[in-house]
Amino acid sequence: MELRPGSLDFSQPLAGSGPRTASTTLMFPRPVSVAVAGLSGHIVGFSGDHHFGRCEIRLETSILGNTVTVIGTFGLRDWSNDWDDAYSGTIEFVVLAELEPVDPGSMSLRMDLSIVDLELNQAVQFFRSNRFLDSATAMPDNSIFMISSKDTGVRVYIDWDPTGGLPPIGRLTGSLTVRTGTRTLTLLPINPSGSIVPHRDSNVNQALTNDTLNFMIPGPACVGTITISCQLFDQDSPDNGSSGAFTRTITFAALKPLRIYLVGVATTSPGTPAPDALALIASLTRVRKMFPQGDIELTGLTTITLDQTITGCGTSCSDAFSRLLDLLRDLRGGSGDVYFGGLPASARAPDDLQLGSSATGDRLASAFIDNSLTVAHEIAHSLGRQHAPVGGVTATNPDPNFPQYGSFPDASIGVFGFDPVTNTVFDPATVLDLMVGVAIAPESAWISPHNYRGLLSPPSEGGGVPGALTLREGRTETLFLRMTIYRDGNVKFAESFHHPAVFQGSLKCEGRFSIEFLDEDKNVLDCAPLSCACEDGGCHCWPKSIRQALPFPKESRWIIVWDIDTKIHEEQIGDPPRVRITSVTESDDGILVTWRSDPKKCWYLVHWFDEDARVWRGVAPRQQAASFLVPDRLFVRSPRLTIRILATEKISTGYAECELHLQNYVGPQITLNLIGFDPRIKEPQKSSGVVRVIAVDPAGRGFPANGAVWYSEKGSELASGDSVDLRQLAHGRHIIRVVVRAARGKPVSRSWLVERDPKGFIVHSAITDSDSQDTQDDRQHPSQSDQDQEEL
Ligand SMILES: [Zn+2]
């Protein structure tokens, strides 16, 4: 007995006829003798407010060989008994199927065909590495562990003996059956045409993508422990028998998602607008593919303006990129997320050499977003990764531990990388690691096992210091120190704020300076080494620009700066400024807050409390004006928002807190978009074979789309989770639709018109649902054939 859950989609609101039908076909490993479908759940409703009258839900099954087709019928009317109200819903079912017994005689095993081994590769993997690496760098096959929710590539190594006297094979194909705890997927190869030319295993060239039969297990299925089973057969004559099945169990390790807050950066000279949410999200493509994270959690989105010209060669610590990192520091507030500032490509001068900037280990990164490799490079820096050294090229901040992989070039990725989304193999003989310190073309970079592993334990999550995680998880009163030390020993404090924060990372560039916090009686309370933030110019340049988040003892009254054992500066910490909020006025765009402080002349930071993450974040960089318009897009979960105004003259920080109430609150609005597809461009856009939906709320917070389900135009399930593999579709045009269940409120859905042709994949347009019944049909389904219309 086999059990298969599934669902049928009726989420498009329709009126005027009923009941409607949708169907889906499930595949089983052997012929099916009996099958029944049972209803396991349903969501039904009218688009408007109507009385629930008659609801019809029916499930039927029909068997053909090893497939079962489930036909669902669904209709909903109010008491008028007419089909005049738009209705929609989803039907969930379970199919119970009895399979024909295995007849050993009918299963002809091809003795000339076998599976030698499977390589499991989510970005990079050791496989047969003893054949091309030395003993210092080679590792056992598949020794890089599998990560939960990350698309998994399976390279199947085959052996075909053409001398066995069996019918020859021109095109070899196969199938991969994936059994998770709850469902079974049957996957087809992702090689072009779904097949490869068979060969002896001794002739395989790992560098050639199509010397192996490749599959992609979609990320949402890569959870817990799964069993995969592969079989090979002749694509043209499947009846000539198949190879024996090769079965393996895979266990995926669940990791914390990488939390990224996106900041679109507008520039004043030249005047360019900030990139929008879609462009910023698309720039994370390589982070998603190469980093050892299954999930990237978007914790929010905002925009800022950079008021300093980017000069193009960032060798000094007073350049525009350093200024940008300062702005990002203010926005981060008390959070430990990576803050990424994305610059528009149009702000870059043609001769600009510097494409991005970050402070190593500081969880702050910025880059022009047109090159997703630069974005990944800078974010990797911000998580502590240093430059992979290349002999003869002087790169700042080199990684002393980057290995020399066998006889491959310096900074080689060392082993074969794989991108299952595009079915691409990366060859260590020619492809360099993304942390190489010189500009290279994106297609010639990927990630090495060294940096893949390094990113698994970024500084804030241990950083190689045992026990650091538990010591630093909590929130500590933290001083965000801004200070400059000049060559002549002069020390200048800029305005610094202190407030509770989680550990945000640490800088690599340490020098000879240290700082002490002392109480009223000049007893030392705490001490810390100081690091210079401007490593781009090398750690040896002056002046030393200090940007550090330090635990700040509350009783501190004095700060002393030391140059080794020489006291170079002493600073008294005064009383904190007093702040009072004087007015709160709602306008069309948000709520205007004004305040007064004593002393009058202070620097201010406005923080908002992020209820989801339980942290305070900056609404904007620091300012000297005593008023701020809190934008209404921050009121997402409720009409209430807590803010606080921090004020400092130099170090001591006072604050006032208040709760704002938005009268014009509209509730959470979730928008769905495909990553990489801009619906405002009214032209077909190229796509990869796997499309991913991103659900964000007005504050730019990513909504977990794990519960999303994808459907075909017939209402049958294509995939579950945030992505769908279009390589399963036949050539031609299709409408794909995603339904995302929000935790509260109605499910949200959106459709796209996509096309698969021999050259690749195209997304033509996004199709927005309309509840109004007279905007149905043709305009919403421009591509559907007449036949499909009748089925609706
Ligand atoms: Zn770099």
Side-chain angles (χ1 to χ4, degrees):
M1 180 82 75
E2 291 255 340
L3 247 151
R4 292 284 175 87
S7 65
L8 292 166
D9 174 50
F10 299 95
S11 64
Q12 172 114 331
L14 279 180
S17 68
R20 295 143 66 181
T21 60
S23 67
T24 191
T25 300
L26 308 176
M27 214 171 17
F28 291 85
R30 299 198 303 280
V32 179
S33 52
V34 189
V36 286
L39 189 67
S40 59
H42 63 278
I43 297 174
V44 301
F46 291 110
S47 298
D49 239 358
H50 299 284
H51 291 286
F52 196 89
R54 264 183 78 188
C55 177
E56 294 168 67
I57 296 174
R58 237 183 7 257
L59 287 168
E60 285 156 278
T61 52
S62 68
I63 301 167
L64 184 68
N66 66 332
T67 64
V68 174
T69 300
V70 181
I71 304 134
T73 309
F74 167 57
L76 184 66
R77 282 174 269 184
D78 65 7
W79 289 117
S80 76
N81 235 3
D82 298 321
W83 300 103
D84 53 350
D85 307 308
Y87 64 95
S88 60
T90 309
I91 298 177
E92 287 162 12
F93 62 80
V94 178
V95 170
L96 288 99
E98 194 70 71
L99 307 188
E100 303 275 4
V102 183
D103 173 5
S106 73
M107 295 280 285
S108 69
L109 194 66
R110 280 194 77 130
M111 300 307 287
D112 59 338
L113 197 56
S114 63
I115 295 171
V116 184
D117 207 348
L118 304 181
E119 173 186 343
L120 304 172
N121 195 327
Q122 292 183 313
V124 71
Q125 184 58 276
F126 287 94
F127 197 81
R128 297 181 172 177
S129 61
N130 55 343
R131 299 187 187 180
F132 53 86
L133 291 180
D134 46 55
S135 60
T137 46
M139 294 283 286
D141 288 355
N142 294 318
S143 53
I144 294 181
F145 65 89
M146 294 290 107
I147 292 167
S148 213
S149 304
K150 189 168 177 68
D151 292 338
T152 302
V154 181
R155 294 188 77 185
V156 180
Y157 289 75
I158 62 111
D159 186 49
W160 178 55
D161 177 7
T163 63
L166 288 165
I169 302 173
R171 296 188 295 170
L172 181 74
T173 189
S175 69
L176 188 80
T177 308
V178 179
R179 284 167 198 275
T180 72
T182 52
R183 54 179 56 217
T184 305
L185 306 172
T186 304
L187 303 174
L188 302 175
I190 56 175
N191 307 76
S193 335
S195 65
I196 60 169
V197 179
H199 51 74
R200 292 308 311 236
D201 179 51
S202 51
N203 293 339
V204 71
N205 180 351
Q206 280 180 267
L208 299 179
T209 308
N210 298 310
D211 261 19
T212 51
L213 198 65
N214 306 329
F215 297 88
M216 186 186 95
I217 310 171
C222 299
V223 179
T225 298
I226 66 170
T227 306
I228 61 171
S229 179
C230 187
Q231 253 182 311
L232 309 174
F233 48 89
D234 183 349
Q235 190 172 45
D236 302 312
S237 316
D239 296 337
N240 281 351
S242 59
S243 73
F246 191 102
T247 303
R248 176 160 293 171
T249 301
I250 312 174
T251 299
F252 296 93
L255 301 181
K256 276 193 212 160
L258 177 65
R259 293 161 65 91
I260 300 184
Y261 197 101
L262 296 172
V263 182
V265 184
T267 57
T268 50
S269 61
T272 44
D276 63 14
L278 275 175
L280 288 166
I281 291 165
S283 78
L284 300 176
T285 306
R286 276 181 179 248
V287 171
R288 192 181 293 281
K289 285 184 175 184
M290 297 192 301
F291 281 31
Q293 257 91 18
D295 295 307
I296 293 177
E297 190 181 330
L298 300 175
T299 53
L301 181 131
T302 193
T303 54
I304 53 169
T305 301
L306 178 65
D307 49 7
Q308 197 172 334
T309 310
I310 297 168
T311 52
C313 47
T315 51
S316 102
C317 209
S318 56
D319 70 350
F321 273 113
S322 302
R323 164 95 183 126
L324 178 51
L325 294 180
D326 274 350
L327 300 177
L328 295 177
R329 266 185 199 98
D330 277 351
L331 289 176
R332 182 165 56 180
S335 133
D337 300 351
V338 170
Y339 268 60
F340 171 70
L343 287 155
S346 49
R348 188 172 71 225
D351 55 348
D352 270 3
L353 295 174
Q354 197 182 9
L355 302 175
S357 179
S358 52
T360 307
D362 201 14
R363 302 197 153 227
L364 297 172
S366 66
F368 290 104
I369 60 160
D370 52 324
N371 184 335
S372 73
L373 176 66
T374 312
V375 174
H377 176 104
E378 298 301 341
I379 292 179
H381 270 317
S382 84
L383 293 167
R385 304 322 299 160
Q386 295 168 285
H387 285 143
V390 178
V393 181
T394 326
T396 56
N397 192 14
D399 179 352
N401 300 316
F402 196 89
Q404 173 64 49
Y405 287 105
S407 55
F408 291 128
D410 290 352
S412 159
I413 54 170
V415 296
F416 291 92
F418 187 58
D419 176 3
V421 166
T422 57
N423 187 42
T424 308
V425 168
F426 298 90
D427 183 352
T430 52
V431 177
L432 303 185
D433 184 81
L434 86 154
M435 294 317 289
V436 67
V438 289
I440 46 171
E443 58 274 12
S444 55
W446 196 247
I447 193 163
S448 64
H450 173 72
N451 277 323
Y452 191 78
R453 287 205 185 118
L455 285 167
L456 281 170
S457 50
S460 84
E461 294 178 316
V465 187
L469 178 65
T470 41
L471 284 175
R472 283 174 159 169
E473 264 299 353
R475 282 175 188 77
T476 323
E477 187 70 20
T478 305
L479 175 67
F480 293 84
L481 182 65
R482 280 197 189 186
M483 187 175 84
T484 309
I485 306 173
Y486 295 89
R487 197 192 283 275
D488 61 7
N490 253 321
V491 174
K492 209 180 130 203
F493 274 83
E495 69 288 351
S496 305
F497 292 86
H498 59 84
H499 53 81
V502 299
F503 177 67
Q504 302 186 325
S506 62
L507 295 165
K508 283 246 156 34
C509 202
E510 283 190 14
R512 61 193 204 209
F513 301 102
S514 60
I515 190 165
E516 274 177 4
F517 298 98
L518 303 92
D519 66 10
E520 212 160 359
D521 305 323
K522 297 227 173 156
N523 298 311
V524 178
L525 299 167
D526 204 356
C527 163
L530 291 175
S531 309
C532 178
C534 45
E535 60 198 16
D536 275 346
C539 293
H540 308 292
C541 296
W542 293 94
K544 305 290 183 199
S545 173
I546 311 291
R547 298 286 186 273
Q548 232 169 314
L550 299 166
F552 183 65
K554 279 201 165 144
E555 306 77 33
S556 304
R557 286 294 170 270
W558 293 91
I559 284 179
I560 297 179
V561 182
W562 295 88
D563 179 353
I564 309 179
D565 285 334
T566 312
K567 186 197 286 186
I568 56 168
H569 188 81
E570 193 171 78
E571 179 90 26
Q572 190 170 14
I573 303 171
D575 290 333
R578 280 188 297 276
V579 196
R580 192 163 57 86
I581 291 166
T582 50
S583 76
V584 169
T585 325
E586 183 162 346
S587 72
D588 285 349
D589 310 320
I591 296 180
L592 183 73
V593 182
T594 58
W595 59 87
R596 218 173 270 158
S597 68
D598 176 24
K600 248 184 163 170
K601 228 178 140 223
C602 283
W603 279 90
Y604 306 107
L605 261 181
V606 183
H607 278 178
W608 63 285
F609 190 68
D610 180 343
E611 293 277 355
D612 287 357
R614 310 293 302 163
V615 291
W616 291 94
R617 301 180 190 274
V619 181
R622 63 192 58 191
Q623 61 177 56
Q624 284 178 296
S627 68
F628 189 84
L629 181 76
V630 179
D632 51 10
R633 59 176 182 78
L634 290 178
F635 295 79
V636 175
R637 299 281 185 268
S638 84
R640 286 185 303 278
L641 185 75
T642 310
I643 60 150
R644 69 182 180 192
I645 317 293
L646 304 168
T648 186
E649 276 189 295
K650 206 176 234 181
I651 290 162
S652 204
T653 308
Y655 70 94
E657 198 174 300
C658 81
E659 191 183 74
L660 303 178
H661 293 256
L662 189 75
Q663 302 297 323
N664 299 327
Y665 177 67
V666 285
Q669 304 275 316
I670 292 164
T671 50
L672 303 177
N673 275 297
L674 294 186
I675 296 179
F677 175 75
D678 188 340
R680 291 160 308 180
I681 302 171
K682 302 282 177 216
E683 273 173 24
Q685 293 163 43
K686 270 196 194 151
S687 160
S688 69
V690 178
V691 293
R692 204 172 290 277
V693 71
I694 182 87
V696 288
D697 66 21
R701 219 171 320 202
F703 196 83
N706 298 340
V709 185
W710 298 81
Y711 296 97
S712 71
E713 59 249 61
K714 286 187 178 155
S716 69
E717 219 177 289
L718 292 173
S720 60
D722 65 348
S723 65
V724 60
D725 197 333
L726 301 180
R727 292 172 291 199
Q728 65 184 292
L729 300 176
H731 285 211
R733 291 185 173 205
H734 305 268
I735 287 176
I736 55 166
R737 178 175 182 77
V738 69
V739 181
V740 178
R741 303 250 169 88
R744 296 178 285 261
K746 278 169 113 179
V748 238
S749 54
R750 199 168 188 188
S751 306
W752 291 267
L753 173 61
V754 298
E755 184 172 3
R756 180 180 189 187
D757 70 15
K759 276 182 275 166
F761 300 88
I762 299 161
V763 180
H764 284 273
S765 55
I767 304 162
T768 307
D769 291 347
S770 166
D771 287 352
S772 141
Q773 62 196 73
D774 49 50
T775 55
Q776 295 303 326
D777 310 330
D778 300 323
R779 261 172 295 168
Q780 291 195 25
H781 292 262
S783 75
Q784 270 185 325
S785 67
D786 293 335
Q787 199 186 341
D788 284 347
Q789 295 259 339
E790 275 163 30
E791 282 174 42
L792 273 174

